[in-house]
Amino acid sequence: MQLPSLILLLTAILQLLVGSYVFRHNPRGPVHRAVFLETALIALWALFIGRTWLVSTKEEVILCGRLAHATSLFCCTGFVNLCLIYPEGRSTTPVHLRAALWLTGGLLALGSVLTPGLIRDAEVKDLQLTAVYGNLRYAYFGYLGMCILWGLTDVGLRFGRLRGMSRGQMEYLLVGLALTGLLNVPSNMVAPLLGMSDAVWMGPCFSLVFLGFITHAIIRHRLMGIQFFVAGWSVNLLAVVITTAAFFLVLHFLGYLGHSVSGGAALAVALLFQPLRTLLHRAVAHYFYRPEYDYQTTVRDASRALAATLDLGSAVDHLLGIVSRTLQVEHALVLVSDPAAGSYRMCAWRTAWVGPEEISHETIGIPSDSPLVTRLEATRDVIVREELEYSSEGDAVAELIAQMAHFRADVAVPLFSGNLLRAILLVGPKVSGDYFTVQDIDLLSTLGAEAAGAVANAQLHQDAIQAERLATLGGLAAGIAHEVKNPLVAVRTFAELLPEKYEDPEFREGFSVLVVREVDRIDRLIGQLLSYARPAPPRLEILNLNTVVEDTLRLLNYEFERHAIRVEMLLAPDLPPVRADVQQMQQVVLNIALNASQVMPDGGLLRVTTRGVGGRAEDRGVPYLLQAERMAEIELANTGPRIPEANLERIFEPFYTTRSEGTGLGLSICKQIVTGHHGQIHAAVTDDGLMAFIVGLPAAAPQAEATPSETLAGVSGRSLADRRNVGVV
């Protein structure tokens, strides 16, 4: 068997294998059937051409040549048919036009086989095939050109309207067609018109490139970006050409210097070839091929940002921001698990035109047994909606597709922490209309894994904060009961005396005043307790920290009495007002004061000092203070054991504690609140040896301070000379 015949036989077998593989993937798919038909026609074309080297008579050579050319007409017709329905499987071209194309090709093929109009003579000599064409060649090549032009025109008109995966598949078709055309047109159209037919046998071999691209695009829905493929091969080819040319130039230059060049020098040149090629490859790739985003940099930055937050809203905001900026999607949203409600509720979203928005409608979401959640828990993999639409599962995924379409999501990314699906990232289509490449899917999968840990930590942190809050409420219960009991005793005493002294006007008046005052006191205590248990969203207002300190420590009077703790308050009457949330500042004072009582179980001193800080920072020894900045400070110092200097920075870290019964969140919450108010909190030892926690908040703007509607109430009227020790009641 001659070499061309062997190559064409192998080509025919490979064509049939490719076509059968595509057909078996989805026998009912119109595109799959069209690909199988095209591969069968090209295989037949290859067999007829290869047959010409195996026959012994001239008549058989002519017949094989005519059959090969006739088959090539059907190959071009099949190519048009494939282009018209690719990739959706449907065509807007009327059926009668497509039927007319097949009929025209059939009549022309029939004339090519039965008459000498196309091939009058042919022979094989010295492995070279020579053919003499007749007048029908103009119709033959005209038909081929018309088919190619029709297919390209239809593809070009539809390409601009395609979006997503369909666009990506069309890109692969165009690249495969371009590469095949660069090889096939010269060998099978231009050369025969010029009387050279010795290269026509290569046509079926070149068509493997076109079919290979289409097959890959049909079978593998998660495609590599075509720009990555083309640019990568182009860079490799260009780098090899440049380095090879440079290598031979160096060898030529060394040879030009004389024939006495040693073998060591030649070996040195050879050793330098690979590093030189690598260097040029990087330089060419950097100049010609710059990806839209750097995968490693994006993942590294995302990991750092997500690891630095314990707040669920911030973690979700970082994730949505990275996805939106990197992939340029129309919108993205996150559904977070809500075990209590048995659903996944929408936590936040981001669009290409609007910044992140917290969704207040917590009912927006999906139940935990929905098709999307069930599928993600079963596969633990990214779901691409277009993959479902192209899958052979049919109606089994219809509800899942509808659920993703409800959120206008093209991709669903699971955020797993262990075996628990913590959240779901739903990503909309790209603004450009491009499809999600395999690189994009890998990036989303990696970001999902990073974000899952951040979401899990944030949720655990929220649970721990709630546990800390409940523990604090338990500690306050005894004090609240004591505070409520005192006014009740007074009310009961007056109520018992009422029948005897009802006629006494002075008693009745005193009774009415006492009841109102004590009931108001109870109401205020209960209100403060409820405010701490169910904090409202932060509401900044102008307030005086002296009032915050007095109201908060009043709640702990019973706790201090139980532990024999003496409280000393040194409140500055000229303390500058601050803009803060009163409930959050009460929580800061409460947490630090409770910590102080717990480290002094056998009694001690708690000294609370407020002061205004201003002027030059170096004069105050406070490094975070600007020279012209005015601050209000609270210092809570106690006679308990000192914190080792090495631990002073760590005590504000979440879950760090030196007490076996502690959660390690009290001071962490305090720092989070204070820094949220643009303030500072730190621990230090006072000049007289007490362990102190200092909280500093920026003073409110002077104009705000003077606003009539924000007149401060309850500012201490005591002068510095009137500062006094306040003991237990």
Side-chain angles (χ1 to χ4, degrees):
M1 180 179 291
Q2 302 295 338
L3 181 61
S5 297
L6 179 60
I7 294 176
L8 289 169
L9 177 60
L10 295 176
T11 299
I13 295 174
L14 188 57
Q15 294 277 4
L16 291 174
L17 289 176
V18 170
S20 300
Y21 177 70
V22 174
F23 181 75
R24 289 184 59 187
H25 189 264
N26 186 6
R28 294 185 295 178
V31 175
H32 298 72
R33 294 179 180 180
V35 171
F36 177 73
L37 175 62
E38 183 69 3
T39 56
L41 291 172
I42 295 176
L44 192 61
W45 178 31
L47 291 175
F48 281 136
I49 297 177
R51 177 71 177 170
T52 58
W53 275 273
L54 301 178
V55 296
S56 56
T57 64
K58 187 174 183 178
E59 289 74 13
E60 289 178 317
V61 172
I62 294 174
L63 178 60
C64 289
R66 291 176 177 176
L67 290 172
H69 281 74
T71 309
S72 67
L73 291 169
F74 287 110
C75 290
C76 285
T77 309
F79 163 76
V80 175
N81 179 65
L82 178 60
C83 289
L84 292 178
I85 65 173
Y86 183 86
E88 299 97 337
R90 57 185 182 273
S91 173
T92 57
T93 304
V95 177
H96 66 273
L97 287 180
R98 286 185 283 166
L101 181 67
W102 281 101
L103 180 61
T104 303
L107 293 175
L108 192 56
L110 189 63
S112 302
V113 174
L114 301 180
T115 68
L118 182 59
I119 297 181
R120 293 183 301 178
D121 193 11
E123 64 176 346
V124 176
K125 186 176 181 180
D126 297 331
L127 296 181
Q128 298 294 324
L129 176 63
T130 304
V132 179
Y133 288 94
N135 294 328
L136 195 58
R137 68 179 183 274
Y138 299 111
Y140 171 80
F141 289 110
Y143 182 82
L144 296 183
M146 181 197 69
C147 289
I148 295 175
L149 183 62
W150 189 349
L152 289 176
T153 301
D154 184 81
V155 168
L157 292 176
R158 290 188 294 119
F159 181 75
R161 300 192 300 267
L162 294 177
R163 291 291 184 270
M165 189 182 300
S166 298
R167 186 187 184 94
Q169 290 176 322
M170 190 65 81
E171 289 177 353
Y172 269 75
L173 180 143
L174 290 173
V175 172
L177 184 59
L179 294 176
T180 304
L182 291 175
L183 301 172
N184 250 345
V185 171
S187 64
N188 289 76
M189 294 185 68
V190 178
L193 285 174
L194 299 177
M196 298 177 291
S197 55
D198 52 340
V200 294
W201 65 274
M202 299 181 183
C205 304
F206 295 150
S207 63
L208 281 172
V209 178
F210 171 67
L211 291 173
F213 271 86
I214 291 183
T215 300
H216 177 76
I218 294 174
I219 302 301
R220 280 191 60 86
H221 295 300
R222 295 184 183 177
L223 299 173
M224 175 186 292
I226 196 66
Q227 69 274 17
F228 288 84
F229 181 86
V230 175
W233 275 96
S234 300
V235 166
N236 282 327
L237 181 60
L238 185 57
V240 168
V241 170
I242 294 176
T243 52
T244 303
F247 177 66
F248 282 108
L249 284 175
V250 171
L251 290 182
H252 176 73
F253 179 68
L254 292 176
Y256 179 75
L257 292 178
H259 297 285
S260 60
V261 179
S262 65
L267 179 61
V269 173
L271 292 176
L272 288 174
F273 174 73
Q274 182 60 33
L276 179 63
R277 178 189 178 279
T278 303
L279 180 62
L280 288 176
H281 182 275
R282 291 177 180 174
V284 172
H286 179 74
Y287 184 81
F288 289 101
Y289 172 42
R290 297 173 183 173
E292 297 178 0
Y293 58 85
D294 187 289
Y295 181 94
Q296 294 182 346
T297 301
T298 302
V299 173
R300 183 181 66 247
D301 294 344
S303 178
R304 290 176 178 174
L306 293 171
T309 178
L310 288 174
D311 179 67
L312 180 61
S314 299
V316 171
D317 182 31
H318 282 309
L319 176 62
L320 294 177
I322 292 168
V323 171
S324 299
R325 289 191 306 269
T326 304
L327 299 180
Q328 295 295 310
V329 296
E330 291 183 2
H331 64 274
L333 57 94
V334 173
L335 304 177
V336 178
S337 174
D338 187 356
S343 64
Y344 287 79
R345 59 177 177 82
M346 187 186 299
C347 176
W349 73 337
R350 181 187 285 261
T351 72
W353 304 277
V354 184
E357 297 184 15
E358 294 297 328
I359 304 301
S360 59
H361 306 287
E362 297 186 358
T363 56
I364 300 178
I366 54 177
S368 298
D369 58 352
S370 65
L372 179 59
V373 176
T374 303
R375 181 85 169 208
L376 289 173
E377 290 179 336
T379 62
R380 300 177 66 92
D381 193 13
V382 176
I383 297 177
V384 182
R385 188 174 70 177
E386 285 187 310
E387 289 183 7
L388 300 176
E389 295 172 349
Y390 280 94
S391 70
S392 57
E393 298 182 54
D395 297 337
V397 296
E399 191 174 353
L400 175 58
I401 294 174
Q403 195 166 63
M404 293 185 67
H406 171 72
F407 291 99
R408 294 188 295 120
D410 281 4
V411 181
V413 184
L415 276 63
F416 274 98
S417 177
N419 294 322
L420 182 62
L421 182 61
R422 293 279 183 177
I424 302 172
L425 170 63
L426 297 177
V427 183
K430 292 186 177 182
V431 176
S432 62
D434 292 336
Y435 60 100
F436 287 90
T437 66
V438 65
Q439 293 90 347
D440 298 336
I441 301 300
D442 288 343
L443 177 65
L444 287 173
S445 181
T446 304
L447 291 178
E450 294 287 345
V455 171
N457 290 336
Q459 290 177 333
L460 291 175
H461 187 245
Q462 286 183 341
D463 294 342
I465 289 176
Q466 183 62 23
E468 176 79 11
R469 186 180 299 279
L470 293 176
T472 303
L473 287 175
L476 289 175
I480 293 295
H482 177 76
E483 292 293 331
V484 171
K485 183 178 181 180
N486 287 339
L488 288 179
V489 169
V491 171
R492 179 176 178 175
T493 301
F494 270 78
E496 290 176 347
L497 294 174
L498 183 62
E500 300 177 8
K501 299 186 176 183
Y502 181 78
E503 301 299 335
D504 187 349
E506 183 178 353
F507 178 84
R508 290 202 307 271
E509 182 179 353
F511 178 76
S512 62
V513 172
L514 180 140
V515 169
V516 172
R517 184 180 71 242
E518 298 301 326
V519 168
D520 287 343
R521 181 181 176 187
I522 294 173
D523 181 67
R524 184 171 62 255
L525 289 171
I526 299 301
Q528 291 174 344
L529 183 65
L530 292 177
S531 297
Y532 184 81
R534 296 196 299 268
R539 188 182 64 179
L540 300 181
E541 57 181 310
I542 300 296
L543 56 91
N544 189 297
L545 292 181
N546 288 337
T547 306
V548 173
V549 169
E550 291 177 326
D551 291 344
T552 305
L553 294 184
R554 189 179 296 115
L555 293 174
L556 296 173
N557 276 345
Y558 179 77
E559 185 74 11
F560 295 147
E561 183 182 33
R562 189 165 64 93
H563 291 287
I565 295 174
R566 185 167 57 91
V567 179
E568 178 182 341
M569 289 195 294
L570 305 176
L571 307 181
D574 58 347
L575 186 69
V578 298
R579 184 179 294 274
D581 181 277
V582 62
Q583 294 176 1
Q584 290 188 353
M585 296 316 301
Q586 284 179 340
Q587 183 175 353
V588 171
V589 176
L590 190 66
N591 285 356
I592 298 176
L594 278 177
N595 281 351
S597 68
Q598 291 168 358
V599 299
M600 296 185 295
D602 299 326
L605 169 66
L606 173 63
R607 186 178 67 203
V608 183
T609 306
T610 63
R611 55 177 170 261
V613 179
R616 300 185 60 85
E618 59 268 28
D619 295 340
R620 297 294 307 173
V622 186
Y624 57 81
L625 206 61
L626 298 178
Q627 291 187 3
E629 189 176 17
R630 183 81 171 147
M631 301 282 287
E633 278 190 353
I634 306 175
E635 179 186 280
L636 295 98
N638 64 81
T639 56
R642 297 182 185 178
I643 300 173
E645 186 175 353
N647 297 339
L648 287 180
E649 293 298 327
R650 297 198 60 195
I651 58 176
F652 296 102
E653 295 178 3
F655 307 109
Y656 179 80
T657 180
T658 57
R659 294 184 291 108
S660 59
E661 70 277 8
T663 64
L665 281 174
L667 292 177
S668 173
I669 296 171
C670 291
K671 184 173 183 179
Q672 184 178 5
I673 292 174
V674 173
T675 54
H677 285 77
H678 306 288
Q680 294 283 344
I681 180 173
H682 66 281
V685 179
T686 63
D687 294 338
D688 53 354
L690 302 184
M691 190 68 236
F693 289 86
I694 299 96
V695 177
L697 295 182
Q703 60 270 25
E705 184 178 348
T707 303
S709 61
E710 296 175 335
T711 302
L712 297 176
V715 178
S716 173
R718 295 191 297 267
S719 65
L720 289 175
D722 291 332
R723 288 180 178 176
R724 57 187 177 86
N725 294 343
V726 180
V728 296
V729 178

